[in-house]
Amino acid sequence: MNQPFKVVIPARYASTRLPGKPLLDIAGQPMIAHVCARASEAGAEQVVIATDDVRILQTVQDLGFTAVMTRPDHQSGTERIAEVAESFGWAQDTIIVNLQGDEPLIPAAYIRDVAAALAGQQHAGIATLAAEIFDPEEIFNPNAVKVVLSKQGYALYFSRAPIPWERAAFSHDGGIPSGAMPYLRHIGMYAYRVSFLRRYCHWPASVLESVESLEQLRILWQGEAVRVQVVAETPPAGVDTPEDLLRVAAILQARAGG
C-alpha cells in the first residue's frame, strides 16, 4: 500500500562512547545528514529530527530539514516521537517511522517496507522488521535479538535466547539448526500509528522487558499485536563506536565512487 508516512529521527547529543554522535563527520557530512537522506529517498512525506540539543537542531536546520527540541527526560526514542506527534497535532491514524539517528546505512526500501507493513493491516498499531539468520553462531549470540512469528506474521515473542529452541538439534554441544524453520533476527526499526503511541506512553515498564532488556516486550506484555515484515537481509550495523564510524565512512565513500 502507498499510504503516506512520516519519519521521525530521534537524535541525542549525549553518548558514552561517541559524544555528539549525530554531528560526527562521515564522508564529508555529519552523520545525521546521511540519515535524513535515507528518509527522503524512502519517500516520506515529512522528515522531522527530534533532539534535545541546540547544536543538532541548528545543524539539521542548516541542512534544510525540520528539527524540533524535545524534553531531555525521555526514557526512549519512542517517547520522544510521541512528543513530536503531539506537538504537530498529527491525526490518530498517521503512520510514523522511527528511524534511528545512528543508522546512516539503512536501506531506504526498508523504511518503506515497515510503513507498508503497518498500512497493510488493521490488527496492530505497530510494525517492525526481521531477516532470516543464516549463520548458526548468530542464533546463539545474545546481541542478535530473535523473534518468532505466528502464521499471520505477528510477533509471538522476542528474545536474546535462541528461539525457537530446536530440541533435537540443540541437545548436544555444537548442534546446529536442522533448517526445519527459519530463525529470524529482529531489525529494530518501527512504524507506529499515532493512536498506538498515545497508549504506549501510559504503560509502565514490564517484567519481561526488564529480564531480557528488550523494550518491545512491553508491547506484548500489554497484549498488543506487533506486525513483522520479513526482509531479504539484515542491514549493515549502525554507529556505536569509533571503529563503526570508520567502517561506515568506508562504505559510503565506496558507494560514492571515492
Side-chain angles (χ1 to χ4, degrees):
M1 296 181 67
N2 294 320
Q3 182 170 331
F5 64 91
K6 304 177 189 296
V7 171
V8 178
I9 305 170
R12 296 173 59 250
Y13 190 90
S15 171
T16 303
R17 287 176 287 189
L18 287 174
K21 183 163 60 170
L23 303 182
L24 295 178
D25 184 273
I26 299 179
Q29 288 188 302
M31 179 162 59
I32 194 66
H34 295 285
V35 181
C36 290
R38 302 294 86 75
S40 297
E41 291 164 7
E45 65 172 358
Q46 189 173 2
V47 178
V48 179
I49 291 74
T51 187
D52 59 0
D53 190 277
V54 69
R55 289 163 289 189
I56 296 175
L57 180 84
Q58 189 61 59
T59 297
V60 169
Q61 290 176 339
D62 290 345
L63 290 168
F65 289 93
T66 301
V68 295
M69 291 291 290
T70 52
R71 299 200 322 266
D73 59 342
H74 288 303
Q75 298 301 306
S76 68
T78 306
E79 292 178 4
R80 199 173 301 279
I81 289 170
E83 182 187 342
V84 172
E86 194 70 29
S87 65
F88 277 90
W90 289 336
Q92 293 271 72
D93 63 347
T94 301
I95 292 177
I96 305 170
V97 175
N98 176 354
L99 180 58
Q100 297 302 312
D102 57 4
E103 297 280 357
L105 297 179
I106 200 77
Y110 284 11
I111 303 172
R112 291 192 296 271
D113 286 343
V114 74
L118 184 57
Q121 52 78 62
Q122 294 298 322
H123 182 53
I126 179 172
T128 190
L129 303 177
E132 189 168 346
I133 296 173
F134 296 100
D135 179 2
E137 289 187 8
E138 192 173 349
I139 295 173
F140 296 92
N141 180 356
N143 295 316
V145 177
K146 275 68 66 175
V147 60
V148 174
L149 308 185
S150 70
K151 68 177 183 179
Q152 293 86 8
Y154 294 90
L156 294 173
Y157 193 65
F158 298 89
S159 182
R160 297 183 182 278
I163 57 171
W165 179 264
E166 194 167 346
R167 183 178 178 185
F170 297 162
S171 59
H172 303 288
D173 291 342
I176 60 174
S178 66
M181 70 174 296
Y183 281 76
L184 297 173
R185 177 170 182 162
H186 179 224
I187 299 168
M189 177 186 289
Y190 298 94
Y192 322 94
R193 292 191 187 276
V194 169
S195 56
F196 169 86
L197 285 172
R198 288 174 176 165
R199 294 195 303 278
Y200 178 91
C201 288
H202 294 291
W203 297 338
S206 70
V207 175
L208 278 180
E209 70 177 286
S210 299
V211 169
E212 292 252 23
S213 190
L214 294 174
E215 184 188 346
Q216 61 268 41
L217 289 174
R218 185 182 310 186
I219 303 163
L220 299 184
W221 179 265
Q222 291 290 332
E224 296 250 355
V226 179
R227 177 75 173 91
V228 181
Q229 178 65 44
V230 179
V231 294
E233 60 184 0
T234 301
V239 176
D240 284 319
T241 67
E243 292 75 22
D244 290 338
L245 198 66
L246 294 175
R247 170 182 53 81
V248 170
I251 292 172
L252 289 173
Q253 286 168 349
R255 288 180 181 177

